[in-house]
């Protein structure tokens, strides 16, 4: 069984994340969405809320593709999380060249820690390349429209956080 790990903070999950999840599901038999606890980032949503959003948005994709997609919280090293879930491949989404530079360094470090786990990069679809959770939150906080960046239930959750229904 090919197991893939797609890690991130998912604060909140965006249409770009969902596109990567959909495409990653074609590459593996089981896809684990690693939801990083990452207290240093000061997430808008707590871990339980982010897990619930990831699970809700992944459910349809799992049913449609027949691939098991599960959310898994983690706070340890990414490579340790990959080992914990039995992943042979780490899936990373790339939006721009700036993403690649950081990810290139991460791959090098992860290969030193465990060279049996591969990393696969999926380029963001052109319509999703500009989407970043950080920007979605900033737009919402300032009263802008986010419906083109997140699914409707996520939009509602983000606006509730900022009390802007």
């Amino acid at each position: 069984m090919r197991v893939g790990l797609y890690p991130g903070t998912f604060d909140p999950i965006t249409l770009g994340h969902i596109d990567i999840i959909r495409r990653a599901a074609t590459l593996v038999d089981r896809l684990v969405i690693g939801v990083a606890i990452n207290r240093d980032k000061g997430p808008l949503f707590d871990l339980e809320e982010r897990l619930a959003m990831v699970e809700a948005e992944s459910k349809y994709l799992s049913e449609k593709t027949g691939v098991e997609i599960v959310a898994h919280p983690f706070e340890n090293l990414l490579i340790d999380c990959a080992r914990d879930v039995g992943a042979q491949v780490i899936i990373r989404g790339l939006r721009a060249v700036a993403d690649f530079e950081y990810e290139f360094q991460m791959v090098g470090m992860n290969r030193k820690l465990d060279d049996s786990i591969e990393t696969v990069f999926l380029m963001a679809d052109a319509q999703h390349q500009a989407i970043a959770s950080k920007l979605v939150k900033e737009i919402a906080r300032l009263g802008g429209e986010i419906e083109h960046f997140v699914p409707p239930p996520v939009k509602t959750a983000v606006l509730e956080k900022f009390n802007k229904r």
Side-chain angles (χ1 to χ4, degrees):
M1 177 182 279
R2 290 171 303 172
V3 178
L5 171 63
Y6 176 40
T9 306
F10 304 102
D11 184 44
I13 189 168
T14 68
L15 295 177
H17 293 129
I18 293 167
D19 177 58
I20 297 294
I21 292 168
R22 178 187 57 77
R23 292 167 46 215
T26 67
L27 303 175
V28 296
D29 303 303
R30 181 173 193 257
L31 182 60
V32 178
I33 311 302
V35 181
I37 293 171
N38 205 341
R39 299 175 211 286
D40 295 337
K41 282 191 174 182
L44 177 64
F45 293 95
D46 66 30
L47 177 63
E48 290 75 24
E49 291 170 318
R50 290 182 286 129
L51 283 167
M53 283 189 281
V54 168
E55 288 168 350
E57 295 304 324
S58 298
K59 183 179 179 190
Y60 169 77
L61 293 173
S62 184
E63 291 169 356
K64 184 177 177 183
T65 63
V67 172
E68 181 185 12
I69 303 174
V70 298
H72 175 81
F74 77 101
E75 191 170 27
N76 54 345
L77 288 173
L78 175 57
I79 205 73
D80 290 335
C81 178
R83 288 181 192 132
D84 291 346
V85 301
Q88 296 88 15
V89 62
I90 296 169
I91 298 171
R92 301 294 291 164
L94 295 177
R95 293 174 300 212
V97 174
D99 286 348
F100 180 77
E101 188 173 328
Y102 171 77
E103 294 295 342
F104 183 78
Q105 290 177 318
M106 289 294 295
V107 169
M109 297 299 284
N110 286 337
R111 299 275 306 158
K112 289 284 187 188
L113 295 171
D114 188 334
D115 66 358
S116 71
I117 300 174
E118 291 293 340
T119 300
V120 173
F121 295 110
L122 296 177
M123 293 300 298
D125 187 270
Q127 66 182 347
H128 302 303
Q129 285 182 352
I131 301 174
S133 294
K134 180 179 179 178
L135 297 177
V136 168
K137 291 182 287 192
E138 185 72 3
I139 291 166
R141 186 179 67 78
L142 296 172
E145 184 52 60
I146 60 170
E147 72 182 19
H148 299 292
F149 311 123
V150 296
V154 175
K155 174 187 173 184
T156 299
V158 171
L159 295 180
E160 285 176 357
K161 286 289 184 178
F162 292 116
N163 295 318
K164 295 183 179 179
R165 290 190 137 203

